[in-house]
Amino acid sequence: MIRAIRGMKDILPPETSRWQWVEQKARETFEVYGYREIRLPLLERTELFARSIGADTDIVAKEMYTFTDRSGDSLSLRPEATAQVVRACLENGLLHGAGVKKFYLIGPMFRYERPQKGRYRQFHQINCEALGSDAPELDAEVILMLLDLLARLGLRQVRLMVNSLGCPQCTGDFKSRLQIFLGRQEGWCDDCRRRREVNPLRVLDCKSQHCQALLAGAPVMEDSLCDSCARHYERVLGLVAAAGVSYEKNPRLVRGLDYYTRTTFEVTAPGLGAQDAVAGGGRYNGLARELGGPDLPGLGFAVGEDRLLEVLPPEAGPPERPLTFLAVLGEAAAARAFFLMQDLRARGLSAVMDFEGRSLKAQMSLADRLGAAYVIILGDEELTSGRAVLRRMATGEQEAVPLGELASAVAARIEDKEGN
Ligand code: HAM
């Protein structure tokens, strides 16, 4: 048997209904905040990711699915969406004119990481990007929108961590101080020995526990913030706090992508084990320029949808859609039921029947197995009398309903039960 690729999973019913529900809630939430959907290709030129995420990051150096296509171009499956959203905005002229441009994108991303609980090679992100403003109000709004979405989904026990990486001047100062610290210590892993020379910030998100232990006492970014960045950071924190949201400052939160400037944030949830970040994001004020566009600030976040679904409470999900099963006896009844079933569906009700000519008993047990809420029983006798039997499966109650009124009778009963 040919099996799925390691780290890539099939998402199956009934779980798919929960995915649809999560995405529907995300769409509703984002539209309220003025975001519009953008859909982009899964493949991009490798250079796009190398230039934006950074050639020394784990994502670009080790985790991309990269190949050369038939015309010799190096392409990669997208490992994240921010770079391509900015690319698409620049290419399609979406950033002209006043006002903040807001987009959301839902879809699969690909990273060749070691698979474990909450970490996959194909995973799914719900991504938001806002471009065109450096106002701290926008940072606060984006963070609050993320928490708003998580709350609407029933995920309340979350931890919000925030940091500021400052502007390139602050980062330059911080990197020098960090480099001095890193140079004084020995015992770094091979990657970090290289990183401390070329990109010291990346040492801070090394996954080795040994390196993490060595980092105790390392300088913190906040001490390197210039006045303007410090004020920006304070204003973001002030607005978040004023909205009644609690947060923790995490000076180590540099996130694994090079494009971040100023605010960075992450939301973690209990129950995920080592991979506990359900969402992460931040500002990327230099990204549009790096990709050949204007000097346009922006920020955003991505929710890891797979992880989110793993921590949502069991009751989170769409309301059940009650099913009606049409059980028939005889050819004439089957022919009538076929069109009755279409009437039910035309009212938006879920209805199925058996086409295999099974016995009534077999049809009833099939209805049971499918979890039908109602069964309509229709045979020659019912056709003659013009009334079918409508049975409520939970209680076994039965009533005779005129054939012409069946669809409305089922609709009324379902509405009644749902309303209760
Ligand atoms: P990221 O932190 O790399 O940020 O990913 C965001 C979220 O995607 C993570 O918090 C996690 O929930 C999920 N995720 C990442 N890798 C995996 C994986 N291998 N398996 C399962 N879930 C995973 C970004 O991607 C940025 N583009 C976010 C952003 C948007 N920043 C600004 N705008």
Side-chain angles (χ1 to χ4, degrees), residues 59 80-82 111 113 118-120 123 125 127-129 255 257 259-260 277-282 284 299-304 306-307:
I59 296 180
E80 63 106 50
T82 309
R111 294 184 195 174
E113 292 190 83
R119 192 160 73 193
Y120 309 101
F123 59 99
Q125 282 188 347
N127 204 92
C128 276
E129 309 295 350
R255 314 236 325 110
L257 305 100
Y259 51 60
Y260 288 118
V278 271
Y284 42 83
L299 88 155
F301 64 77
V303 178
D306 311 70
R307 289 186 195 171

Side-chain angles (χ1 to χ4, degrees), residues 3 7 31 33 51 58 60 79 84 110 128 167 180-182 204 216 235 241 271 357 359 378 381 388 393 401:
R3 295 185 175 276
E31 304 265 345
Y33 285 80
R51 283 247 303 265
D58 277 355
V60 171
Q84 67 164 182
F110 303 84
C128 276
C167 58
I180 294 170
F181 171 86
L182 298 173
L204 295 181
R235 177 79 177 136
S359 70
L378 197 61
E381 214 172 284
M393 294 297 272
V401 178

Side-chain angles (χ1 to χ4, degrees), residues 4-50:
I5 297 168
R6 191 162 124 83
M8 303 201 180
K9 61 185 162 56
D10 304 323
I11 304 166
L12 308 171
E15 187 62 8
T16 36
S17 310
R18 291 184 97 212
W19 283 70
Q20 288 172 1
W21 177 77
V22 162
E23 288 166 15
Q24 186 51 33
K25 290 272 177 207
R27 289 173 201 282
E28 281 165 22
T29 310
F30 299 155
E31 304 265 345
V32 168
Y33 285 80
Y35 286 73
R36 310 285 300 276
E37 184 171 15
I38 186 165
R39 298 188 186 200
L40 301 176
L42 302 189
L43 277 175
E44 294 277 355
R45 291 181 191 283
T46 304
E47 187 197 353
L48 171 70
F49 301 118

Side-chain angles (χ1 to χ4, degrees), residues 85-369:
V85 170
V86 175
R87 193 268 308 140
C89 285
L90 294 174
E91 189 171 340
N92 296 287
L94 303 184
L95 302 177
H96 302 316
V100 180
K101 313 295 181 305
K102 297 172 165 181
F103 304 99
Y104 69 88
L105 178 149
I106 301 177
M109 309 291 152
F110 303 84
R111 294 184 195 174
Y112 192 84
E113 292 190 83
R114 198 168 51 76
Q116 64 180 77
K117 181 177 154 62
R119 192 160 73 193
Y120 309 101
R121 289 181 174 172
Q122 175 174 329
F123 59 99
H124 303 78
Q125 282 188 347
I126 300 175
N127 204 92
C128 276
E129 309 295 350
L131 289 119
S133 169
D134 191 29
E137 286 76 9
L138 187 61
D139 302 49
E141 184 186 87
V142 165
I143 292 173
L144 295 178
M145 179 173 77
L146 168 60
L147 295 174
D148 188 0
L149 170 63
L150 299 178
R152 287 178 193 222
L153 293 169
L155 190 66
R156 288 170 201 284
Q157 272 201 316
V158 292
R159 260 174 85 192
L160 167 67
M161 278 169 306
V162 191
N163 191 22
S164 174
L165 300 185
C167 58
Q169 283 74 36
C170 315
T171 318
D173 175 70
F174 178 61
K175 277 184 184 164
S176 324
R177 296 199 306 128
L178 186 61
Q179 231 155 7
I180 294 170
F181 171 86
L182 298 173
R184 281 205 205 113
Q185 312 255 14
E186 278 318 316
W188 303 104
C189 71
D190 290 348
D191 278 343
C192 285
R193 269 209 300 280
R194 193 179 45 79
R195 287 175 185 138
R196 71 180 172 180
E197 306 306 326
V198 291
N199 194 347
L201 229 53
R202 296 280 68 88
V203 176
L204 295 181
D205 45 38
C206 177
K207 287 172 187 137
S208 141
Q209 281 190 353
H210 182 68
C211 292
Q212 283 303 323
L214 285 177
L215 280 169
V220 292
M221 186 70 226
E222 203 173 345
D223 297 336
S224 292
L225 293 183
C226 66
D227 282 354
S228 164
C229 288
R231 273 200 309 277
H232 191 275
Y233 187 33
E234 278 314 305
R235 177 79 177 136
V236 175
L237 296 178
L239 284 164
V240 169
V245 168
S246 47
Y247 63 84
E248 292 164 41
K249 281 187 181 179
N250 180 350
R252 288 282 162 75
L253 191 67
V254 290
R255 314 236 325 110
L257 305 100
D258 276 356
Y259 51 60
Y260 288 118
T261 56
R262 291 198 158 171
T263 316
T264 54
F265 54 93
E266 227 163 69
V267 171
T268 62
L272 277 170
Q275 305 302 319
D276 63 352
V278 271
R283 260 199 182 278
Y284 42 83
N285 288 351
L287 183 54
R289 191 150 73 182
E290 180 61 41
L291 295 178
D295 198 3
L296 206 71
L299 88 155
F301 64 77
V303 178
E305 202 176 349
D306 311 70
R307 289 186 195 171
L308 175 66
L309 276 135
E310 281 166 27
V311 288
L312 279 186
E315 67 278 10
E320 257 191 51
R321 186 176 255 277
L323 178 72
T324 302
F325 189 96
L326 291 99
V328 295
L329 249 179
E331 270 178 36
R336 182 68 191 264
F338 186 82
F339 292 101
L340 257 173
M341 182 166 69
Q342 290 299 89
D343 290 348
L344 289 163
R345 291 169 177 169
R347 289 178 173 265
L349 303 172
S350 297
V352 292
M353 68 181 283
D354 166 54
F355 296 144
E356 312 303 323
R358 289 186 168 84
S359 70
L360 188 60
K361 192 166 164 233
Q363 290 180 66
M364 291 308 284
S365 66
L366 182 57
D368 215 31
R369 220 164 346 121

